């Protein structure tokens, strides 16, 4: 297999016709930004190779590598998908009085549906492109398939499913380690939520039928059918003559349409290479409660209008097929074909009959194709001697519910009016915000279970975070590696492995190195301890010097500040903002007219640590409504203080470009500024000489971070601003 390779030559944009080179990460046209892309190959070269059959190749869809979009065969992620049996349906033939009905049995695929083909090719492309995280919206089966293949490829997967998808399917995806997000809305809305989520977090979004790998993968169904039909139907006298044979019909239950799009393309390629004599007609079967394609087809329209799905067969609930319909409509005009729908009940009846007669147990979405076959026969659309292949796309569903619980599933709810709208709605902001909180994962490590539980409960009382507790550093490390949380809150002194060793372990691994860690410790830190922790933690809290409530608020602030600045907190690449305005939003004030701000007192907060700045501004604002300007460097601080002439300056002593002492010196030179009261809040242990120096510089009070007496500080601020 190693000498075999892809004969891919480039990609064409289906929206504007632009031709471009292929690379595995390519997901939109550089000219029109369109996302419907189509791969092209060197068909003359491939025809030469394929003409005499493909003996001795791997037993998976990768045997057709020449016409698949993979650059490096070493990167292929496979579980033997494809090469499914083509079964002669003797009982069906008899019942329908038709001589040539075949079942392409996709139930034997690794995750029991034909979506494994797509997952194998798409995840391979992700691996080639170096993509490590992916978002997918699915009506059900693609989720299990992608989850399984992503597990093999070490790609973190976020799956967005509608809440109507069977819990069993959700559990299966969760079992493979995917993050499953349940969206209360239609599939098209779930897709929109997923796309927004991916865009905000800058994660790769799988574009299904639109992207190159999806459709290419489904071509292999056509290649296999043609190979198998030749083997089964070519008389032995002709053996060796033809290795490929096309059926007259390919029939499939259709939702988004990726299957038939790929199958048509596969047959077109075989035809173009002179290997088959026709491209089959496509029988597109939809469920009556969600049949936008069938409705457009019946009306002779080349474009479909979106519908709101109303069917229990949620796997087929794509309400807005977009360009997929236009392409299938065009294929039907070129090669013939038909689209019709069946009711849920007709599908359930077909499901029972198929199991009892052929011994084939299928899920309702698959049964739709068989109910459709009956109708196509009944209506005389399929002619007496035509060879028919029906895609048996997925198996009935098994039993993960006994081992997975609902805790693994996340929930997003859209309003009823939003759900009733056929087109994806905007204004999903609130749902997304809640989702951001829900997918925010925190690991709390404390060897005292009472402490970890208290922190978890308080956090979850504030926001719907996912909080995992560990009662040893080792257990914590394991959870951190599994979950890659957004934040860790850890005790320092623990038996076996302590917090210091934990931090060192986290720093060693690039995947965990950037996760912020808040250290909570009962230990008085020695200078050596402080040196070991320097730069390793987001903040340090000494037990006894703060309330748990303060800590929890700090955690919430830390997470929401990293969310504001950067939607993906675990992967910070924060641009340093030099000045930030935090306008007081206390109850009442926000509703008052802007003029109220004129009387609001101004504070300049000189603090380079954003988390400390958040905490301090919160404390400042409990005294009264304020406009707080936060500045992170000394040079900027002086400029802002000169411009603003604030009522109060809050100063950290250790900031990047100047010391607090130097800033005070600068201020002393300007008469107007010299009179502004200054509060110093610092983590620095002050010597007596330093204290005296600060007092002589009109510093009204000095406070040590980590030992802040909140009430006293609030009272002091009040007195300074009154
Ligand atoms: C079992 C099954 N059959 C049919 C379909 C419809 O497939 P397509 O995306 O090709 O329309 C799906 C889609 O999820 C499916 O899972
Ligand atoms: Zn284009």
């Amino acid at each position: 297999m190693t000498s075999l390779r892809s004969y891919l030559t480039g990609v064409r944009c289906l929206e504007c016709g632009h031709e471009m080179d292929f690379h595995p990460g390519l997901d939109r046209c550089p000219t029109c930004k369109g996302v419907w892309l189509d791969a092209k190959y060197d068909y003359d070269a491939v025809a030469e190779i394929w003409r005499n059959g493909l003996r001795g190749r791997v037993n998976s869809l990768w045997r057709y590598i020449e016409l698949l979009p993979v650059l490096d065969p070493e990167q292929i992620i496979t579980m033997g998908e494809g090469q499914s049996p083509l079964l002669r349906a003797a009982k069906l033939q008899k019942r329908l009085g038709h001589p040539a009905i075949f079942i392409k049995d996709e139930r034997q695929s690794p995750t029991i549906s034909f979506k494994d083909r797509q997952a194998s090719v798409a995840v391979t492309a992700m691996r080639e492109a170096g993509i490590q995280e992916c978002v997918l919206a699915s009506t059900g089966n693609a989720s299990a398939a992608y989850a399984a293949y992503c597990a093999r490829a070490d790609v973190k997967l976020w799956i967005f499913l509608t809440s109507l998808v069977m819990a069993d399917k959700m559990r299966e995806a969760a079992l493979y380690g995917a993050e499953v997000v349940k969206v209360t809305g239609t599939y098209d809305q779930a897709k929109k939520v997923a796309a927004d989520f991916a865009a905000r977090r800058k994660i790769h979004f799988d574009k299904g039928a639109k992207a190159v790998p999806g459709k290419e993968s489904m071509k292999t169904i056509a290649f296999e059918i043609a190979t198998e039909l030749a083997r089964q139907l070519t008389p032995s006298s002709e053996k060796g003559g033809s290795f490929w044979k096309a059926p007259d019909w390919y029939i499939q239950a259709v939702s988004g349409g990726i299957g038939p799009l790929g199958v048509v393309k596969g047959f077109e390629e075989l035809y173009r290479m002179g290997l088959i004599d026709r491209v089959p007609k496509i029988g597109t079967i939809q469920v009556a409660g969600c049949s936008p394609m069938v409705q457009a087809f019946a009306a002779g329209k080349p474009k479909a209008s979106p519908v709101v799905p109303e069917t229990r067969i949620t796997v087929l609930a794509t309400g807005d097929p977009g360009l997929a319909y236009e392409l299938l409509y065009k294929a039907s005009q070129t090669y013939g074909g038909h689209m019709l729908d069946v009711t849920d009940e007709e599908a359930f009846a077909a499901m029972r009959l198929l199991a009892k007669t052929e011994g084939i147990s299928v899920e309702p979405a698959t049964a739709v194709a068989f109910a459709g076959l009956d109708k196509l026969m009944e209506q005389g659309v399929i002619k007496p001697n035509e060879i028919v292949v029906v895609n048996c796309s997925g198996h009935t569903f098994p039993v993960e519910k006994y081992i997975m619980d609902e805790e693994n599933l996340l929930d997003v709810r859209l309003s009823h009016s939003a759900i009733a709208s056929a087109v994806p709605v905007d204004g999903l902001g609130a749902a997304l915000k809640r989702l951001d909180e829900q997918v925010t994962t925190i690991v709390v490590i404390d060897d005292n279970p009472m402490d970890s539980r208290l922190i978890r409960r308080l956090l979850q009382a504030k926001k719907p975070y996912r909080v995992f507790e560990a009662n040893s550093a080792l257990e914590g490390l394991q959870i951190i590696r599994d979950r890659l949380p957004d934040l860790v809150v850890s005790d320092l002194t623990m038996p076996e492995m302590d917090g210091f060793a934990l931090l060192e372990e986290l720093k060693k691994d690039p995947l965990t190195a950037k996760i912020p860690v808040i250290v909570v410790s009962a230990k008085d830190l020695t200078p050596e301890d402080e040196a070991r922790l320097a730069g390793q933690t987001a903040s340090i809290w000494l037990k006894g010097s703060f309330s748990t409530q303060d800590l929890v608020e700090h955690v919430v602030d830390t997470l929401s500040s990293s969310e504001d600045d950067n939607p993906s907190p675990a992967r910070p690449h924060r641009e340093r903002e030099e000045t930030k305005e935090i306008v007081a939003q206390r109850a009442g004030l926000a509703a008052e007219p802007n003029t109220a701000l004129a009387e609001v007192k101004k504070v300049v907060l000189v603090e380079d640590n954003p988390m400390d700045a958040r905490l301090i501004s919160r404390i400042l604002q409990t005294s009264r409504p304020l406009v707080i300007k936060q500045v992170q460097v000394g040079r900027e601080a002086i400029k802002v203080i000169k411009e603003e002439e604030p009522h109060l300056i809050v100063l950290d002593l250790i900031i990047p470009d100047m010391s607090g002492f130097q800033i005070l010196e600068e201020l002393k030179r300007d008469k107007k500024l010299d009179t502004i009261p200054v509060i110093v809040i610092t983590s620095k242990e002050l010597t007596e000489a330093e204290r005296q120096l600060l007092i002589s510089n009109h510093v009204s009070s000095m406070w040590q971070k980590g030992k802040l007496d909140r009430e006293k500080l609030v009272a002091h601020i009040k007195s300074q601003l009154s």
Side-chain angles (χ1 to χ4, degrees):
M1 180 97 193
T2 44
S3 61
L4 299 177
R5 65 173 176 92
S6 172
Y7 283 74
L8 187 78
T9 53
V11 171
R12 202 172 82 89
C13 169
L14 289 174
E15 294 181 63
C16 78
H18 177 71
E19 308 257 345
M20 62 206 105
D21 284 342
F22 172 80
H23 64 83
L26 180 70
D27 73 348
R28 63 182 67 229
C29 164
T31 309
C32 76
K33 307 285 176 247
V35 288
W36 285 87
L37 303 178
D38 194 38
K40 298 275 167 228
Y41 301 81
D42 178 352
Y43 295 108
D44 293 342
V46 180
E48 282 311 306
I49 305 168
W50 285 21
R51 198 171 308 285
N52 298 316
L54 304 176
R55 269 182 295 266
R57 297 207 172 183
V58 288
N59 197 28
S60 77
L61 58 76
W62 292 101
R63 68 196 279 109
Y64 302 107
I65 189 169
E66 286 91 343
L67 295 187
L68 289 173
V70 59
L71 302 183
D72 174 8
E74 297 286 317
Q75 301 288 331
I76 289 172
I77 308 285
T78 180
M79 290 196 265
E81 57 293 319
Q83 286 296 86
S84 59
L86 188 70
L87 307 173
R88 194 82 185 237
K91 295 268 192 69
L92 251 179
Q93 290 184 176
K94 201 160 159 206
R95 184 167 60 79
L96 295 172
H98 192 93
I101 301 176
F102 293 83
I103 294 177
K104 181 71 174 147
D105 189 2
E106 294 284 287
R107 300 171 311 150
Q108 306 189 23
S109 202
T111 71
I112 65 174
S113 92
F114 75 138
K115 296 286 169 177
D116 286 322
R117 295 177 188 267
Q118 184 186 341
S120 177
V121 179
V123 176
T124 294
M126 283 182 218
R127 173 133 108 180
E128 283 204 287
I131 291 166
Q132 290 172 338
E133 194 168 355
C134 170
V135 174
L136 172 81
S138 160
T139 58
N141 286 325
S143 67
Y146 273 66
Y149 283 80
C150 281
R152 284 177 86 78
D154 284 327
V155 173
K156 179 177 167 71
L157 180 65
W158 297 88
I159 296 174
F160 288 67
L161 296 162
T162 79
S163 51
L164 299 172
V165 169
M166 267 200 315
D168 290 352
K169 287 198 198 256
M170 297 188 187
R171 287 189 193 98
E172 183 178 9
L175 179 63
Y176 293 122
E179 297 279 0
V180 179
V181 183
K182 196 163 73 166
V183 180
T184 304
T186 66
Y187 169 60
D188 299 287
Q189 289 165 339
K191 201 151 66 173
K192 171 95 171 72
V193 172
D196 286 359
F197 177 80
R200 281 156 48 106
R201 295 194 163 223
K202 300 196 171 54
I203 305 174
H204 170 73
F205 179 59
D206 186 276
K207 300 200 176 57
K210 305 177 179 80
V212 168
K215 184 164 49 151
E216 297 306 296
S217 71
M218 293 298 178
K219 294 186 324 194
T220 58
I221 297 176
F223 302 155
E224 290 170 21
I225 290 173
T227 315
E228 230 353 71
L229 277 182
R231 196 185 68 77
Q232 293 187 32
L233 295 180
T234 311
S236 51
S237 57
E238 289 177 30
K239 278 261 150 63
S242 174
F243 289 90
W244 308 88
K245 183 173 179 61
D248 296 290
W249 284 91
Y250 169 80
I251 293 169
Q252 195 199 298
V254 171
S255 180
I258 189 170
L261 284 174
V263 169
V264 169
K265 181 172 178 192
F267 282 118
E268 281 176 334
E269 289 178 334
L270 294 177
Y271 180 71
R272 173 179 180 160
M273 293 190 291
L275 302 177
I276 54 174
D277 59 1
R278 80 202 96 139
V279 175
K281 295 172 257 196
I282 303 295
T284 296
I285 318 296
Q286 293 202 293
V287 69
C290 183
S291 57
M293 295 199 192
V294 175
Q295 289 172 27
F297 184 83
K301 288 193 197 150
K303 276 189 202 293
S305 306
V307 302
V308 180
E310 273 180 54
T311 168
R312 275 173 285 167
I313 307 178
T314 50
V315 162
L316 300 181
T318 303
D320 183 6
L323 196 63
Y325 170 73
E326 295 172 46
L327 298 169
L328 288 175
Y329 180 75
K330 211 152 84 191
S332 76
Q333 299 302 100
T334 315
Y335 312 114
H338 199 74
M339 301 192 183
L340 59 73
D341 57 13
V342 301
T343 62
D344 286 12
E345 285 65 34
E346 285 168 330
F348 297 145
M351 183 176 166
R352 289 192 196 93
L353 193 62
L354 192 66
K356 282 190 180 154
T357 55
E358 297 282 352
I360 291 178
S361 161
V362 299
E363 67 167 277
T366 302
V368 163
F370 288 89
L373 171 70
D374 273 17
K375 278 200 180 168
L376 289 172
M377 292 286 181
E378 205 179 277
Q379 294 176 8
V381 178
I382 296 177
K383 300 286 175 294
N385 284 313
E386 291 185 320
I387 300 168
V388 180
V389 176
V390 186
N391 188 335
C392 183
S393 47
H395 207 295
T396 42
F397 219 73
V399 291
E400 283 78 8
K401 64 176 154 224
Y402 300 109
I403 53 168
M404 300 295 290
D405 51 35
E406 301 279 344
E407 207 176 75
N408 292 285
L409 313 176
L410 302 158
D411 231 337
V412 176
R413 285 164 203 276
L414 301 182
S415 68
H416 282 294
S417 57
I419 294 167
S421 151
V423 274
V425 287
D426 286 328
L428 298 170
L432 274 172
K433 172 86 187 141
R434 199 178 138 77
L435 176 62
D436 270 340
E437 286 165 1
Q438 280 190 297
V439 301
T440 300
T441 306
I442 303 167
V443 177
V444 179
I445 308 169
D446 199 311
D447 60 336
N448 180 347
M450 306 268 276
D451 283 359
S452 60
R453 196 172 320 139
L454 178 65
I455 296 173
R456 175 169 67 77
R457 290 209 176 128
L458 287 171
L459 281 168
Q460 287 179 328
K462 284 223 159 250
K463 301 262 182 181
Y465 295 137
R466 281 189 299 173
V467 182
F468 296 89
E469 280 175 66
N471 297 121
S472 76
L474 277 173
E475 189 195 347
L477 190 59
Q478 192 54 50
I479 300 178
I480 294 168
R481 285 177 177 155
D482 283 353
R483 296 278 168 180
L484 297 180
D486 299 285
L487 183 78
V488 174
V489 179
S490 177
D491 192 4
L492 212 47
T493 343
M494 291 178 280
E496 269 185 286
M497 180 192 233
D498 64 12
F500 294 104
L502 173 75
L503 281 164
E504 276 152 24
E505 282 301 312
L506 295 180
K507 294 293 159 193
K508 271 190 218 156
D509 181 347
L511 279 177
T512 54
K514 296 213 171 106
I515 299 173
V517 181
I518 293 177
V519 166
V520 180
S521 174
K523 186 176 186 308
D524 257 334
L525 298 180
T526 64
E528 294 82 65
D529 291 341
E530 282 183 4
R532 275 181 88 183
L533 292 175
Q536 306 270 34
T537 63
S539 63
I540 302 171
W541 293 65
L542 298 178
K543 281 185 185 170
S545 66
F546 62 89
S547 73
T548 314
Q549 198 61 45
D550 278 347
L551 173 67
V552 165
E553 283 189 2
H554 175 65
V555 169
V556 174
D557 279 349
T558 304
L559 287 166
S560 52
S561 73
S562 46
E563 197 182 277
D564 294 346
D565 296 351
N566 173 351
S568 184
R571 284 156 220 84
H573 43 90
R574 181 193 300 272
E575 295 272 319
R576 225 188 162 88
E577 255 180 71
E578 298 204 323
T579 316
K580 194 167 190 168
E581 188 162 330
I582 307 164
V583 178
Q585 290 273 322
R586 294 187 63 208
L589 178 69
E592 283 171 25
N594 275 345
T595 50
L597 286 177
E599 292 108 47
V600 173
K601 301 247 168 159
K602 282 188 280 189
V603 177
V604 171
L605 168 59
V606 187
E607 171 60 77
D608 65 318
N609 179 329
M611 290 147 202
D612 289 351
R614 278 257 175 179
L615 182 69
I616 295 168
S617 16
R618 188 182 279 268
I619 295 175
L620 287 169
Q621 283 170 25
T622 47
S623 65
R624 55 181 296 147
L626 295 170
V627 171
I628 303 169
K629 291 249 164 167
Q630 185 207 334
V631 204
Q632 298 184 337
V633 290
R635 170 177 50 75
E636 178 77 5
I638 291 167
K639 184 168 150 253
V640 172
I641 292 167
K642 283 188 175 157
E643 280 165 15
E644 298 288 333
E645 294 182 15
H647 302 89
L648 179 70
I649 298 167
V650 179
L651 185 63
D652 185 9
L653 290 181
I654 309 166
I655 36 179
D657 60 335
M658 315 169 67
S659 79
F661 297 102
Q662 288 170 310
I663 294 176
L664 289 168
E665 281 298 322
E666 277 284 327
L667 296 181
K668 237 170 43 178
R669 294 206 194 110
D670 188 325
K671 281 258 153 7
K672 267 197 294 190
L673 306 182
D674 192 30
T675 53
I676 304 173
V678 180
I679 296 178
V680 165
I681 302 180
T682 182
S683 52
K684 191 169 163 29
E685 283 277 6
L686 296 172
T687 64
E688 197 42 44
E690 282 169 336
R691 282 181 177 278
Q692 289 310 321
L693 181 59
L694 290 175
I695 291 167
S696 70
N697 277 323
H698 308 294
V699 169
S700 67
S701 66
M702 286 152 268
W703 306 80
Q704 176 113 35
K705 284 182 196 171
K707 293 183 189 162
L708 278 186
D709 183 327
R710 199 183 166 123
E711 271 173 30
K712 276 195 195 150
L713 177 58
V714 171
H716 178 71
I717 293 166
K718 262 192 190 150
S719 72
Q720 293 296 309
L721 291 174
S722 58

